[in-house]
Amino acid sequence: MTAAVADAPTPLVSARGVVKAFAVRGGAFGRSAGAVRAVDGVDLDIYPGEVLGLVGESGCGKSTLGRVLLGLLPADEGTVTFDGTDVHRARGHRLRALRRQMQIVFQDPFSSLDPRATIGDSIAEGLRAHGTPARQRQHKVHEVLELVGLEPGHAQRYPHQFSGGQRQRVGIARALAVEPRFLVADEPVSALDVSIRSQILNLLSDLQARLDFTLVFVAHDLAVVEHLCDRVAVMYLGGIAEIGTRDRVFRRPQHPYTEALLSAIPVADPERPRHRTRLKGEMPSPLDPPAGCRFHPRCPIAVAGVCDVETPGLLPAADDPSHRAACHLRTGEHQDLDPGREPVAP
Ligand code: SF4
């Protein structure tokens, strides 16, 4: 995985200038109350065989971005390509081929499974849509059930006969049945008991290593992605605040928001810097995002007259161009400003 990134291959998935907005209606008559730009001008490259963690608070746009990358939601602006094919312009056989190669694992597997269909039928649904003969379908269903730690005999059961963790295994099996090259796992463990989470995380990690698919793992908690991901992208109010390798983001975060998320994680590793960055207040309404840096009302090191006026670009760190952050103070855009606190020593 990591070697693939180091060799700088061509991205499997590329997003450029992606914007996705939703109309918001309010009042007794459902009049338009404006639009929320859930994803606002995102550029992102995802490389073959890597695991990218997409992290941020609720409402930051991470799940919406995941669906736009898969073509499940249309982009209002910008482009998404998968292996050179424009995801949002593909039609006919090209679209069918894309659908097979790009799959999603949902947060709530129960709501994504038909309660009246057997698990076997639900898993075979994608294979049926792609014309796989019945005998091969059955063989594949049994194969993926075993792959996710269930038994072939489970194919005859219904969703209500499974525990939450088992249902998420079924959700993963259903996504993998069509042998995708690209998988978006949308908060796949956040609805599960803590005791089950690590089992599902380990399963996804093992499957990714064995099958070598490209994985975007969406989570609201940096701790969840730490042991799974090669790279991490941190989102805030529709944009990417920071992106880099796991080690860089966890050990040398450039954005104060990333520091705040890291502050919430208990530190067992004595070599890792401890951060004590506390967020101020709530995330602003995406209906009326702040001017300048969108993080400035909550940022403990914001500089008046700069951060509330100028929007920072997502710029590379001086010692690692692949590590980028959207912060005036940390990326040298304003070298005359105080670069801020260093991480607090343990
Ligand atoms: Fe904070 Fe300013 Fe950096 Fe935004 S640009 S994260 S407000 S210091």
Side-chain angles (χ1 to χ4, degrees), residues 126-281:
L127 295 165
R128 205 176 300 114
H130 292 287
T132 306
R135 185 177 289 273
Q136 281 182 37
R137 285 203 304 266
Q138 187 184 31
H139 182 263
K140 192 68 186 178
V141 167
H142 291 175
E143 181 186 310
V144 291
L145 279 171
E146 287 187 311
L147 205 55
V148 299
L150 297 173
E151 295 169 16
H154 285 140
Q156 302 308 319
R157 297 190 187 174
Y158 290 85
H160 72 270
Q161 295 176 285
F162 291 87
S163 67
Q166 286 177 320
R167 281 185 212 139
Q168 196 51 285
R169 288 176 192 267
V170 172
I172 295 168
R174 189 165 67 157
L176 295 182
V178 291
E179 300 179 7
R181 294 167 65 196
F182 178 49
L183 189 66
V184 173
D186 186 9
E187 303 212 43
V189 298
S190 59
L192 300 177
D193 289 347
V194 174
S195 58
I196 307 294
R197 285 182 189 178
S198 60
Q199 293 176 19
I200 298 298
L201 287 172
N202 289 339
L203 174 67
L204 270 172
S205 182
D206 288 348
L207 290 171
Q208 193 278 332
R210 282 171 68 179
L211 304 176
D212 202 30
F213 51 81
T214 303
L215 175 62
V216 169
F217 190 98
V218 178
H220 60 259
D221 182 351
L222 269 172
V224 171
V225 304
E226 181 171 6
H227 299 293
L228 187 68
C229 297
D230 300 303
R231 288 194 304 149
V232 178
V234 177
M235 285 192 73
Y236 188 79
L237 265 184
I240 293 179
E242 178 160 7
I243 183 167
T245 62
R246 174 186 55 190
D247 285 350
R248 286 282 305 202
V249 170
F250 275 81
R251 290 180 181 276
R252 302 186 63 186
Q254 299 295 298
H255 199 285
Y257 179 57
T258 311
E259 290 179 3
L261 295 181
L262 287 169
S263 296
I265 304 176
V267 176
D269 177 358
E271 288 184 21
R272 186 195 293 168
R274 282 177 59 205
H275 301 276
R276 292 187 190 140
T277 305
R278 299 278 179 263
L279 289 176
K280 294 191 279 179

Side-chain angles (χ1 to χ4, degrees), residues 255-257 293 295-296 299-303 307 312 326-330:
H255 199 285
Y257 179 57
C293 173
F295 186 60
H296 87 259
C299 181
I301 58 169
V303 177
C307 297
C327 175
H328 294 306
L329 272 65
R330 299 294 172 76

Side-chain angles (χ1 to χ4, degrees), residues 299-315:
C299 181
I301 58 169
V303 177
V306 176
C307 297
D308 51 349
V309 176
E310 297 181 32
T311 304
L314 190 62
L315 297 180

